């Protein structure tokens, strides 16, 4: 079974969010992008639907979490190297993102994190496959 994931995130300013993720090198699927939502293409199977808050409210009875003051989730994406982790996080910080946690290096794993303009937490992770094979 092939499964795709669509993570839905509320955003305050859709234009600002689109500009931020475009600077990180991502694209948007125009078929699912309008004034209320933008479909951020992360990979062939991973998408983030960035929904303006009034539109996001149509899909929940709960209050929307203010991601700048509370954590609703951490979105972790894999990278192919430590250099790719650094490159993507550095680009996020240079594009208006904010630092989240200190870099973490734990054996075969290396990760760094950032907050997007709406405060959502993103973590970029590299796992050294050679070190993982040696541990098994």
């Amino acid at each position: 079974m092939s499964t795709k994931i669509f993570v839905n995130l509320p955003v305050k300013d859709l234009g600002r969010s689109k500009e931020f993720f475009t600077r990180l090198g991502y694209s948007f699927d125009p078929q699912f992008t309008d004034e209320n939502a933008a479909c951020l293409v992360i990979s062939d199977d991973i998408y983030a639907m960035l929904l303006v808050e009034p539109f996001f409210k149509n899909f929940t009875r709960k209050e929307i979490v203010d991601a700048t003051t509370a954590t609703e989730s951490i979105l972790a994406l894999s990278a192919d190297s430590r250099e790719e982790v650094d490159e993507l996080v550095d680009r996020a910080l240079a594009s208006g993102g904010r630092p989240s946690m200190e870099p973490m290096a734990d054996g075969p794993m290396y990760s760094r994190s950032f907050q997007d303009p709406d405060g959502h937490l993103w973590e970029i992770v590299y796992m050294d496959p050679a070190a993982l094979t040696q541990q098994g």
Side-chain angles (χ1 to χ4, degrees):
M1 175 167 84
S2 175
T3 301
K4 296 184 184 298
I5 185 169
F6 290 84
V7 175
N8 293 276
L9 297 172
V11 299
K12 293 185 184 322
D13 182 331
L14 188 58
R16 176 185 69 179
S17 293
K18 287 173 61 178
E19 181 180 333
F20 175 78
F21 286 105
T22 298
R23 286 183 179 178
L24 298 186
Y26 293 107
S27 63
F28 291 88
D29 184 337
Q31 184 176 1
F32 302 106
T33 299
D34 61 20
E35 68 280 354
N36 290 311
C39 180
L40 173 64
V41 179
I42 297 171
S43 75
D44 290 341
D45 295 315
I46 304 170
Y47 305 86
M49 294 299 301
L50 308 178
L51 309 175
V52 294
E53 287 182 349
F55 186 63
F56 186 92
K57 287 181 181 181
N58 292 319
F59 301 97
T60 183
R61 291 187 178 115
K62 295 181 178 182
E63 291 296 316
I64 295 175
V65 172
D66 180 353
T68 63
T69 62
T71 301
E72 84 270 87
S73 66
I74 299 172
L75 304 154
L77 303 175
S78 65
D80 292 329
S81 67
R82 288 176 64 111
E83 294 77 20
E84 186 178 359
V85 169
D86 289 337
E87 178 183 309
L88 186 57
V89 174
D90 289 346
R91 206 172 335 140
L93 298 176
S95 298
R98 293 181 312 278
S100 183
M101 300 291 288
E102 293 298 318
M104 295 175 66
D106 184 17
M109 186 177 92
Y110 175 69
S111 67
R112 287 181 61 196
S113 57
F114 64 90
Q115 298 177 50
D116 70 19
D118 287 283
H120 302 293
L121 301 176
W122 295 81
E123 183 176 70
I124 312 301
V125 181
Y126 169 68
M127 297 287 280
D128 181 356
L132 292 175
T133 303
Q134 293 170 4
Q135 288 182 352

PDB file of all heavy atoms in Angstrom, residues 94-109:
ATOM      1  N   ALA A  94      18.039  32.165   7.579  1.00  0.00           N
ATOM      2  CA  ALA A  94      18.305  33.351   6.765  1.00  0.00           C
ATOM      3  C   ALA A  94      17.038  33.873   6.088  1.00  0.00           C
ATOM      4  O   ALA A  94      16.997  35.030   5.664  1.00  0.00           O
ATOM      5  CB  ALA A  94      19.366  33.030   5.704  1.00  0.00           C
ATOM      6  N   SER A  95      15.998  33.034   6.020  1.00  0.00           N
ATOM      7  CA  SER A  95      14.760  33.409   5.339  1.00  0.00           C
ATOM      8  C   SER A  95      13.664  33.852   6.289  1.00  0.00           C
ATOM      9  O   SER A  95      12.513  33.982   5.886  1.00  0.00           O
ATOM     10  CB  SER A  95      14.262  32.224   4.502  1.00  0.00           C
ATOM     11  OG  SER A  95      15.210  31.888   3.516  1.00  0.00           O
ATOM     12  N   GLY A  96      13.990  34.044   7.557  1.00  0.00           N
ATOM     13  CA  GLY A  96      13.001  34.528   8.506  1.00  0.00           C
ATOM     14  C   GLY A  96      12.579  33.518   9.548  1.00  0.00           C
ATOM     15  O   GLY A  96      11.758  33.831  10.410  1.00  0.00           O
ATOM     16  N   GLY A  97      13.106  32.297   9.477  1.00  0.00           N
ATOM     17  CA  GLY A  97      12.827  31.313  10.517  1.00  0.00           C
ATOM     18  C   GLY A  97      13.602  31.667  11.778  1.00  0.00           C
ATOM     19  O   GLY A  97      14.504  32.495  11.753  1.00  0.00           O
ATOM     20  N   ARG A  98      13.218  31.039  12.876  1.00  0.00           N
ATOM     21  CA  ARG A  98      13.905  31.292  14.147  1.00  0.00           C
ATOM     22  C   ARG A  98      14.505  29.988  14.657  1.00  0.00           C
ATOM     23  O   ARG A  98      13.946  28.910  14.434  1.00  0.00           O
ATOM     24  CB  ARG A  98      12.913  31.849  15.168  1.00  0.00           C
ATOM     25  CG  ARG A  98      12.406  33.234  14.789  1.00  0.00           C
ATOM     26  CD  ARG A  98      11.440  33.817  15.814  1.00  0.00           C
ATOM     27  NE  ARG A  98      10.368  32.926  16.255  1.00  0.00           N
ATOM     28  CZ  ARG A  98       9.226  32.729  15.584  1.00  0.00           C
ATOM     29  NH1 ARG A  98       9.012  33.335  14.437  1.00  0.00           N
ATOM     30  NH2 ARG A  98       8.292  31.926  16.076  1.00  0.00           N
ATOM     31  N   PRO A  99      15.617  30.069  15.375  1.00  0.00           N
ATOM     32  CA  PRO A  99      16.204  28.851  15.944  1.00  0.00           C
ATOM     33  C   PRO A  99      15.233  28.195  16.909  1.00  0.00           C
ATOM     34  O   PRO A  99      14.417  28.872  17.538  1.00  0.00           O
ATOM     35  CB  PRO A  99      17.437  29.349  16.692  1.00  0.00           C
ATOM     36  CG  PRO A  99      17.675  30.742  16.240  1.00  0.00           C
ATOM     37  CD  PRO A  99      16.365  31.270  15.727  1.00  0.00           C
ATOM     38  N   SER A 100      15.336  26.894  17.031  1.00  0.00           N
ATOM     39  CA  SER A 100      14.487  26.171  17.968  1.00  0.00           C
ATOM     40  C   SER A 100      15.352  25.572  19.072  1.00  0.00           C
ATOM     41  O   SER A 100      15.470  26.140  20.132  1.00  0.00           O
ATOM     42  CB  SER A 100      13.685  25.088  17.250  1.00  0.00           C
ATOM     43  OG  SER A 100      12.819  24.435  18.149  1.00  0.00           O
ATOM     44  N   MET A 101      15.984  24.449  18.809  1.00  0.00           N
ATOM     45  CA  MET A 101      16.849  23.794  19.786  1.00  0.00           C
ATOM     46  C   MET A 101      18.298  23.868  19.296  1.00  0.00           C
ATOM     47  O   MET A 101      18.556  24.157  18.134  1.00  0.00           O
ATOM     48  CB  MET A 101      16.438  22.324  19.944  1.00  0.00           C
ATOM     49  CG  MET A 101      15.012  22.122  20.426  1.00  0.00           C
ATOM     50  SD  MET A 101      14.756  22.628  22.124  1.00  0.00           S
ATOM     51  CE  MET A 101      15.618  21.322  22.966  1.00  0.00           C
ATOM     52  N   GLU A 102      19.216  23.560  20.186  1.00  0.00           N
ATOM     53  CA  GLU A 102      20.619  23.465  19.797  1.00  0.00           C
ATOM     54  C   GLU A 102      20.782  22.233  18.895  1.00  0.00           C
ATOM     55  O   GLU A 102      20.025  21.271  19.031  1.00  0.00           O
ATOM     56  CB  GLU A 102      21.510  23.322  21.033  1.00  0.00           C
ATOM     57  CG  GLU A 102      21.547  24.546  21.919  1.00  0.00           C
ATOM     58  CD  GLU A 102      22.115  25.759  21.204  1.00  0.00           C
ATOM     59  OE1 GLU A 102      23.123  25.606  20.478  1.00  0.00           O
ATOM     60  OE2 GLU A 102      21.555  26.853  21.368  1.00  0.00           O
ATOM     61  N   PRO A 103      21.772  22.231  17.990  1.00  0.00           N
ATOM     62  CA  PRO A 103      22.016  21.031  17.181  1.00  0.00           C
ATOM     63  C   PRO A 103      22.251  19.821  18.087  1.00  0.00           C
ATOM     64  O   PRO A 103      22.797  19.954  19.190  1.00  0.00           O
ATOM     65  CB  PRO A 103      23.281  21.379  16.398  1.00  0.00           C
ATOM     66  CG  PRO A 103      23.308  22.870  16.364  1.00  0.00           C
ATOM     67  CD  PRO A 103      22.695  23.316  17.670  1.00  0.00           C
ATOM     68  N   MET A 104      21.802  18.660  17.625  1.00  0.00           N
ATOM     69  CA  MET A 104      21.966  17.434  18.398  1.00  0.00           C
ATOM     70  C   MET A 104      22.783  16.442  17.580  1.00  0.00           C
ATOM     71  O   MET A 104      22.431  16.141  16.445  1.00  0.00           O
ATOM     72  CB  MET A 104      20.606  16.835  18.748  1.00  0.00           C
ATOM     73  CG  MET A 104      19.784  17.712  19.671  1.00  0.00           C
ATOM     74  SD  MET A 104      18.117  17.072  19.958  1.00  0.00           S
ATOM     75  CE  MET A 104      18.480  15.577  20.833  1.00  0.00           C
ATOM     76  N   ALA A 105      23.876  15.970  18.152  1.00  0.00           N
ATOM     77  CA  ALA A 105      24.698  14.933  17.528  1.00  0.00           C
ATOM     78  C   ALA A 105      24.754  13.782  18.520  1.00  0.00           C
ATOM     79  O   ALA A 105      25.325  13.909  19.605  1.00  0.00           O
ATOM     80  CB  ALA A 105      26.087  15.455  17.213  1.00  0.00           C
ATOM     81  N   ASP A 106      24.122  12.668  18.166  1.00  0.00           N
ATOM     82  CA  ASP A 106      24.049  11.517  19.057  1.00  0.00           C
ATOM     83  C   ASP A 106      24.372  10.264  18.255  1.00  0.00           C
ATOM     84  O   ASP A 106      23.498   9.723  17.568  1.00  0.00           O
ATOM     85  CB  ASP A 106      22.658  11.420  19.690  1.00  0.00           C
ATOM     86  CG  ASP A 106      22.556  10.296  20.707  1.00  0.00           C
ATOM     87  OD1 ASP A 106      23.596   9.797  21.163  1.00  0.00           O
ATOM     88  OD2 ASP A 106      21.421   9.929  21.046  1.00  0.00           O
ATOM     89  N   GLY A 107      25.632   9.847  18.294  1.00  0.00           N
ATOM     90  CA  GLY A 107      26.039   8.672  17.520  1.00  0.00           C
ATOM     91  C   GLY A 107      25.819   8.888  16.038  1.00  0.00           C
ATOM     92  O   GLY A 107      26.309   9.864  15.478  1.00  0.00           O
ATOM     93  N   PRO A 108      25.016   8.023  15.427  1.00  0.00           N
ATOM     94  CA  PRO A 108      24.806   8.130  13.981  1.00  0.00           C
ATOM     95  C   PRO A 108      23.791   9.203  13.583  1.00  0.00           C
ATOM     96  O   PRO A 108      23.563   9.441  12.412  1.00  0.00           O
ATOM     97  CB  PRO A 108      24.275   6.749  13.608  1.00  0.00           C
ATOM     98  CG  PRO A 108      23.598   6.267  14.835  1.00  0.00           C
ATOM     99  CD  PRO A 108      24.408   6.824  15.981  1.00  0.00           C
ATOM    100  N   MET A 109      23.184   9.880  14.562  1.00  0.00           N
ATOM    101  CA  MET A 109      22.148  10.868  14.256  1.00  0.00           C
ATOM    102  C   MET A 109      22.661  12.291  14.461  1.00  0.00           C
ATOM    103  O   MET A 109      23.356  12.581  15.426  1.00  0.00           O
ATOM    104  CB  MET A 109      20.932  10.643  15.143  1.00  0.00           C
ATOM    105  CG  MET A 109      19.770  11.536  14.763  1.00  0.00           C
ATOM    106  SD  MET A 109      18.298  11.209  15.754  1.00  0.00           S
ATOM    107  CE  MET A 109      18.535  12.377  17.068  1.00  0.00           C
TER     108      MET A 109
END
